[in-house]
Amino acid sequence: MLSERVVNEINQIQKRYLDARACLLPALYVVQREHGWISPDALEAVGDLLNVPKATVKGVSTFYSMFRHRPIGRHVIQLCTNVACMIMGAERLVDILRSRYGIEPNSTTDDGRFSLVIMECIGACGTAPAMLVDSDFYDNLTEENVIEILERYK
Amino acid sequence: MERFLLKNIDRSDLTDMDEYIKFGGYSAILKALEMKPSDIIDEVKRSGLRGRGGAGFPTGMKWSFAAADPKKPKYLICNADEGEPGTFKDKPILEKNPHLLIEGMIISGYALQAEYGYIYLRGEYPKAKDILEKAIKQAYNRGYLGDNIHGKEVNFHLYVHQGAGAYICGEETALIESLEGKRGQPKIKPPFPVNEGFLSKPTVVNNVETLANIPYIIEIGAEAYSKIGSPECPGPKLFSVSGNVKNPGVYELPMGTTLREIIYTHCGGIRDDKKLKAVIPGGISTPILTPDKIDCPMDFVNMPKYGSMLGSGAVMVFDETVDLAKICLRAMKFFEHESCGKCTPCREGIGWMRAILERICSGSGMAGDIELLIEVSKNIAGKTFCPLGDGAAVVVQSFINNFRQEFEQHISKEFSKEIKVAA
């Protein structure tokens, strides 16, 4: 299930900790980066590798909002709508994405291009509203520039 | 005040180690390595430094508890999980001055005789992860990290550990659980992490800003440091300001600077010269203040006298057009989403408060809803393992105490058309 490269990377990261289980979150990140999401089989494989029961791995991975447990679009838009972003117009941006791409929060476009995730605070309150597209950060979003930015992601 | 934490970050690439050293970086380590670990702890105690994560506990005292515990190994964890809405004060250090944090952690690790350090970084800061890892690699290559640092019998290994989107992991016991590969749920104290922390070993958890202050204290000495800011809470403080001000951003100012000075002097006043309606002074979980309270000095001692808390120093400013009931609702959606679910009053109560606020804000509010909100909040406050439940309760209570009329207007559907939804 896990490629040799992924296993090697997880084994390397394990050396940073005196307890294998402490490597669980980093290991899940490695898997997610490789596959885009964490499948039930991948959960089991990570558990086997770190000697942690599958149910425990699932319990941990589903606790954290940044781990994804179903296939996602090619690009993930993580848009913050918390207080600072809200008063600077983030909710209007959600409407714009809805009308431009036909996408609802926590769903994926029909063509698999974008998934939209509504984020809690992403620490850009001074330059709100802000979003992450994959791991690229954008702030000072406006009704005009948000589409312009997203059109760079095909 | 001369800046230290944000010194030169706008005119130089301090992520490059040579640049950082050019401006005096890593000199405090050399000075610290000539001191005994206990002397460093005493120096930090004398400086009066209080933790910058929100609780304001004296840093030197926390260190002395962990140092006195004979169990080994000891751990130093940097809490870089600033997830409180309004708070982005640590981001400039993480992204633009990483070596300052690394230097502070090496000195702190030496003082504690800790051999391992972890920077628990929130998952929402992917850029900071790359920057920190590059800076750590540079520090290893130059002999500031690893075994036998600078030829001394000092070992300190430092790693970045990425969180995965859980606000509660900013609470130190939840952070440690998360670092151990578990669900990030808080534990009741005692035992305190300084005695039984990461992998049940003595562990100090300090905020980014706290650790970034350490080189400064070593450099100028405790006596000079303690003269900055207010007498009971000395030192510089990073304030992150957002909302309806002309110039939002992160400001390094002496502890004790008033809200009025922050808003009107440093941030240029209210955007579009509108009237100030309210201020949240220390992040979304601190009680909201009315404009007549903005002369309060921003420190751990004075803020409670004005009915709020310094928290993380995250100032959120709202002008006259903002609908505070809707802000309260959005805050409650946040707390509901981020409740770890361990304590029933928090897990069930916050969702209930959100639902009441939702019907109030959608025009379906009923007589008695405000009293019900207060009642539910009282049944959450003080009844949970960690302060998340308290934070949610205090938000509802302080919004209603100070701005009850806004909620009543929603219920009576007489809401002024001049007051827009936030946005």
Side-chain angles (χ1 to χ4, degrees):
Chain A
M1 173 64 215
L2 303 180
S3 69
E4 192 180 331
R5 189 161 56 112
V6 166
V7 171
N8 287 341
E9 189 172 344
I10 293 172
N11 286 338
Q12 281 298 316
I13 296 171
Q14 262 197 68
K15 292 176 185 168
R16 300 174 185 174
Y17 309 92
L18 298 183
D19 182 90
R21 184 168 170 179
C23 186
L24 186 49
L25 264 62
L28 292 169
Y29 264 121
V30 172
V31 173
Q32 180 162 283
R33 196 193 60 219
E34 189 78 2
H35 300 284
W37 66 296
I38 305 167
S39 67
D41 287 346
L43 284 176
E44 189 165 355
V46 169
D48 290 343
L49 190 63
L50 301 178
N51 200 23
V52 179
K54 183 189 172 189
T56 306
V57 178
K58 186 175 182 184
V60 170
S61 68
T62 53
F63 180 83
Y64 298 94
S65 61
M66 295 186 82
F67 291 134
R68 298 184 282 268
H69 300 95
R70 58 183 177 188
I72 48 139
R74 293 195 297 283
H75 305 289
V76 183
I77 305 164
Q78 300 184 90
L79 179 68
C80 179
T81 61
N82 212 306
V83 172
C85 286
M86 175 188 172
I87 64 172
M88 300 309 286
E91 292 184 337
R92 175 76 189 123
L93 298 182
V94 176
D95 292 339
I96 287 170
L97 298 188
R98 190 180 277 125
S99 64
R100 179 70 170 77
Y101 298 110
I103 187 172
E104 292 294 325
N106 302 315
S107 73
T108 301
T109 52
D110 291 340
D111 62 0
R113 183 179 173 193
F114 291 120
S115 291
L116 174 61
V117 178
I118 300 301
M119 291 286 279
E120 294 303 336
C121 188
I122 60 173
C125 316
T127 49
M131 68 177 175
L132 285 164
V133 183
D134 302 332
S135 58
D136 304 327
F137 173 77
Y138 299 97
D139 55 4
N140 288 313
L141 297 175
T142 63
E143 295 179 19
E144 291 76 34
N145 70 13
V146 69
I147 297 298
E148 188 188 310
I149 290 165
L150 289 173
E151 281 305 300
R152 295 175 208 157
Y153 294 83
K154 296 297 180 187
Chain B
M1 185 195 82
E2 186 198 357
R3 298 201 304 180
F4 175 75
L5 302 166
L6 303 182
K7 189 177 175 184
N8 297 317
I9 64 163
D10 295 324
R11 65 186 184 101
S12 184
D13 179 15
L14 296 178
T15 64
D16 181 74
M17 192 164 177
D18 287 324
E19 279 294 293
Y20 181 71
I21 289 173
K22 195 171 93 184
F23 288 108
Y26 285 102
S27 58
I29 281 186
L30 303 180
K31 192 173 171 186
L33 288 174
E34 298 303 318
M35 299 165 73
K36 288 192 293 188
S38 58
D39 290 342
I40 297 174
I41 295 176
D42 286 343
E43 195 76 6
V44 173
K45 270 187 185 171
R46 279 198 301 276
S47 75
L49 174 67
R50 295 170 67 146
R52 300 297 200 242
F57 192 81
T59 305
M61 194 186 296
K62 189 190 249 189
W63 285 13
S64 62
F65 295 148
D69 196 306
K71 292 197 291 291
K72 286 187 176 179
K74 290 176 184 166
Y75 294 98
L76 171 66
I77 298 173
C78 169
N79 187 343
D81 192 46
E82 58 173 0
E84 175 105 353
T87 308
F88 51 103
K89 72 182 179 66
D90 293 337
K91 204 173 182 185
I93 296 174
L94 296 166
E95 291 188 352
K96 293 185 174 179
N97 204 359
H99 286 288
L100 177 67
L101 172 62
I102 294 167
E103 184 176 11
M105 288 194 74
I106 299 167
I107 297 169
S108 308
Y110 171 58
L112 294 160
Q113 299 285 284
E115 290 196 20
Y116 299 95
Y118 297 96
I119 299 171
Y120 188 98
L121 177 70
R122 64 186 311 223
E124 292 86 345
Y125 285 180
K127 185 178 168 191
K129 179 175 181 278
D130 294 341
I131 289 166
L132 283 167
E133 285 183 337
K134 185 179 153 213
I136 287 171
K137 196 172 174 190
Q138 289 174 337
Y140 267 107
N141 290 341
R142 301 281 278 270
Y144 286 100
L145 282 171
D147 292 333
N148 302 315
I149 293 172
H150 268 251
K152 307 266 181 187
E153 286 182 27
V154 178
N155 306 332
F156 189 65
H157 294 268
L158 183 59
Y159 307 103
V160 178
H161 185 100
Q162 200 176 7
Y167 164 69
I168 192 57
C169 291
E171 195 278 339
E172 63 175 353
T173 60
L175 184 154
I176 290 167
E177 289 284 290
S178 178
L179 192 61
E180 289 178 351
K182 300 171 185 168
R183 295 164 75 92
Q185 293 185 307
K187 295 200 293 189
I188 204 154
K189 297 185 273 192
F192 291 93
V194 287
N195 298 117
E196 283 189 40
F198 184 49
L199 304 176
S200 301
K201 294 293 193 294
T203 303
V204 164
V205 182
N206 282 146
N207 177 254
V208 172
E209 187 186 345
T210 312
L211 292 162
N213 267 273
I214 302 302
Y216 194 30
I217 291 169
I218 298 299
E219 194 177 302
I220 68 170
E223 196 183 338
Y225 182 91
S226 63
K227 287 179 181 149
I228 302 165
S230 53
E232 293 143 313
C233 307
K237 176 81 191 87
L238 294 177
F239 296 101
S240 58
V241 191
S242 61
N244 303 124
V245 288
K246 286 179 181 165
N247 303 307
V250 179
Y251 294 86
E252 180 179 348
L253 300 166
M255 188 74 96
T257 304
T258 66
L259 265 177
R260 181 182 299 281
E261 203 181 331
I262 291 171
I263 295 168
Y264 287 98
T265 305
H266 300 285
C267 296
I270 308 301
R271 191 173 292 184
D272 300 329
D273 293 321
K274 289 198 161 49
K275 266 174 68 183
L276 174 66
K277 187 177 196 177
V279 187
I280 295 175
I284 197 76
S285 64
T286 58
I288 195 166
L289 294 174
T290 45
D292 58 310
K293 303 274 179 63
I294 62 169
D295 288 309
C296 54
M298 289 279 280
D299 63 33
F300 294 109
V301 174
N302 280 294
M303 286 303 292
K305 296 176 190 168
Y306 287 77
S308 192
M309 294 184 291
L310 177 66
S312 56
V315 180
M316 304 179 85
V317 180
F318 303 107
D319 71 23
E320 59 194 310
T321 68
V322 173
D323 179 344
L324 291 176
K326 288 196 171 165
I327 297 292
C328 190
L329 167 61
R330 182 62 186 89
M332 221 43 53
K333 284 181 180 171
F334 167 77
F335 285 113
E336 182 186 23
H337 183 267
E338 299 299 333
S339 173
C340 80
K342 186 167 180 171
C343 309
T344 309
C346 175
R347 183 184 66 239
E348 302 297 326
I350 295 175
W352 192 1
M353 293 199 295
R354 190 266 310 146
I356 300 166
L357 283 163
E358 198 128 41
R359 71 171 178 247
I360 290 175
C361 291
S362 66
S364 305
M366 298 180 286
D369 270 352
I370 293 175
E371 287 67 29
L372 182 58
L373 270 175
I374 293 168
E375 186 65 24
V376 176
S377 74
K378 283 180 181 170
N379 281 292
I380 300 171
K383 296 176 176 65
T384 56
F385 275 15
C386 85
L388 189 141
D390 293 338
V394 91
V395 165
V396 166
Q397 289 169 4
S398 76
F399 270 66
I400 293 174
N401 285 344
N402 290 300
F403 299 97
R404 188 182 179 106
Q405 195 188 2
E406 302 223 355
F407 296 84
E408 288 172 344
Q409 283 177 334
H410 270 289
I411 292 170
S412 64
K413 302 177 186 62
E414 289 174 1
F415 207 67
S416 165
K417 287 203 170 63
E418 289 182 10
I419 296 180
K420 295 177 285 187
V421 175

